[in-house]
Amino acid sequence: MLVSRRRIARRVQALASEIAASYRGRELVMVPLLTGSMIFLADLMRCLPLKMRVDVLAVSSYAGQMTRSREPRILYPKKLQVAGKHVLIVDDILDSGRTLAAVRAILRRQRAASVRACVLLRKQVAVRMGVPADFIGFDIPDEFVVGYGMDYHHFYRNLPDIAVLHPSVIATGPHGGNSHSRIAPS
Ligand code: IMP
Ligand code: MG
């Protein structure tokens, strides 16, 4: 296991304190990128004593592929109501940063008053490439991870901890064997 549910819970509390302190007295629009960030969002927003709205955004970045990242596409909604609002994008993983860059650009074009981003995990590739994010949960190695909302071909989101996907799953796909026993043990 890479990050246990206990460590996640502690870090989410701390992140929420940072976010609450920097938005104090302002109304917030949280924009979670579906579907990977939904468990993170649910935990994070319940620790935030701020006046807020939630406007979900569906983005397709991997189109079912694990290794090849394509250009992100906005699937939903057609138009966000963010003009003049303080927007906090919430995402699960910062990898190449392409998804976040595309979403930031869209929100700025819609004249948000401010656009910041909170990611639960940041991979080393994002650190090396200097991809900006304002609130970061954990720095992790460049491995493919699942659990706590994150998927491989739509599976494993329901795992309560964050785990590295076992190479045999990547080789054979998510459908063979007992899926929950195929997560790397370390
Ligand atoms: P980026 O555009 O390359 O930064 O990709 C970010 C998105 O890719 C995240 O929001 C995730 O949905 C997905 N992603 C990247 N790495 C992983 C991973 O290790 N596990 C699951 N999803 C991932
Ligand atoms: Mg995502």
Side-chain angles (χ1 to χ4, degrees):
M1 182 198 313
L2 190 66
V3 192
S4 71
R5 64 197 82 178
R6 283 189 52 160
R7 277 183 71 205
I8 298 170
R10 276 202 300 271
R11 187 70 191 116
V12 168
Q13 281 275 0
L15 271 178
S17 304
E18 278 180 49
I19 293 167
S22 68
Y23 284 96
R24 188 163 294 130
R26 281 185 287 173
E27 194 178 314
L28 185 62
V29 181
M30 298 188 87
V31 175
L33 309 190
L34 295 181
T35 305
S37 69
M38 98 191 157
I39 294 176
F40 177 39
L41 173 85
D43 286 344
L44 184 67
M45 67 188 282
R46 284 178 292 173
C47 299
L48 282 174
L50 297 170
K51 187 174 183 192
M52 71 169 72
R53 254 173 46 192
V54 177
D55 278 357
V56 301
L57 194 61
V59 184
S60 149
S61 55
Y62 278 70
Q65 297 291 315
M66 198 201 79
T67 46
R68 233 176 320 131
S69 176
R70 299 179 190 164
E71 277 313 300
R73 267 194 320 131
I74 304 291
L75 305 174
Y76 173 88
K78 287 220 172 94
K79 189 167 167 23
L80 280 155
Q81 309 287 318
V82 296
K85 304 288 184 193
H86 296 287
V87 175
L88 182 64
I89 302 164
V90 179
D91 202 8
D92 50 1
I93 309 185
L94 198 53
D95 191 3
S96 72
R98 259 186 275 182
T99 308
L100 198 54
V103 172
R104 266 187 212 275
I106 287 162
L107 294 171
R108 292 212 173 104
R109 271 206 301 278
Q110 308 232 349
R111 298 194 168 75
S114 68
V115 180
R116 294 206 271 176
C118 174
V119 295
L120 178 64
L121 306 177
R122 178 173 65 175
K123 290 193 183 177
Q124 289 311 296
V125 61
V127 176
R128 284 194 302 275
M129 289 166 61
V131 177
D134 305 278
F135 305 96
I136 296 151
F138 299 96
D139 277 308
I140 62 161
D142 290 327
E143 306 252 31
F144 199 85
V145 297
V146 293
Y148 195 69
M150 290 165 281
D151 72 306
Y152 173 57
H153 287 281
H154 311 291
F155 286 94
Y156 313 118
R157 292 194 198 277
N158 54 321
L159 296 172
D161 309 290
I162 297 169
V164 174
L165 198 65
H166 196 285
S168 71
V169 182
I170 296 168
T172 61
H175 303 291
N178 173 351
S179 57
H180 281 205
S181 68
R182 301 174 83 217
I183 302 300
S186 60

